[in-house]
């Protein structure tokens, strides 16, 4: 995985937890079961709207891999806890386009990962373990705004541009 250096995370986890639609080529379609999530996140095609709703640029790196792109993340740090709401994802994922334009392509659900804990499930899917910035997390991507030929819940998407 290639990532720009992690400068700093402006959000922190509580101490107890540590330890309509824009039509674009390749856009996801309504037969995938994501209509309610799309409706809940439609206004976040505007980064300004996402910021007003509490999704902030927390200086996470842009992620990509040989499997495809993932993109930039805007996080609602206050939502990162053990509670999951499919209509309020903890992160919005944006493809970085030319001239630093951001295009909403996915949502991400994030839960703190305690040692020995079992993976949570949401939307019938098991979360994957990751470590970011020294924090152990469970994550689940849902490609609600961009089709992913490798699967709607895969971390990376070959249709998303690599990081600049």
């Amino acid at each position: 995985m290639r990532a720009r250096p992690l400068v700093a995370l402006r959000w922190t986890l509580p101490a107890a937890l540590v330890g309509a639609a824009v039509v674009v080529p390749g856009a996801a379609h309504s037969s995938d079961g994501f209509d309610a999530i799309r409706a809940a996140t439609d206004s976040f095609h505007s980064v300004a709207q996402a910021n007003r709703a509490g999704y902030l640029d927390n200086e996470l790196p842009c992620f990509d891999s040989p499997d495809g792109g993932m993109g930039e993340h805007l996080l609602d740090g206050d939502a990162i806890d053990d509670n999951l709401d499919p209509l309020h994802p903890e992160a919005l994922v944006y493809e970085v386009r030319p001239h630093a334009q951001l295009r909403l392509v996915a949502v991400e659900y994030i839960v703190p990962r305690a040692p020995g804990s079992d993976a949570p499930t949401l939307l019938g899917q098991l979360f994957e373990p990751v470590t970011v910035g020294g924090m152990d997390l469970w994550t689940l991507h849902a490609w609600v705004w961009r089709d992913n030929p490798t699967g709607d819940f895969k971390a990376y998407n070959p249709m998303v541009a690599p990081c600049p």
Side-chain angles (χ1 to χ4, degrees), residues 14 21 26 31 72 76 80 84 99 115 122 124 146 159:
S31 65
E72 295 280 346
D76 179 352
I80 299 176
L84 290 167
H99 311 291
L122 184 69
R146 173 66 62 86
M159 294 182 71

Side-chain angles (χ1 to χ4, degrees), residues 17-43:
L17 296 176
V18 175
V22 174
V23 178
V24 296
H29 45 79
S30 63
S31 65
D32 56 19
F34 291 144
D35 290 341
I37 298 169
R38 273 194 209 92
T41 60
D42 186 54
S43 66

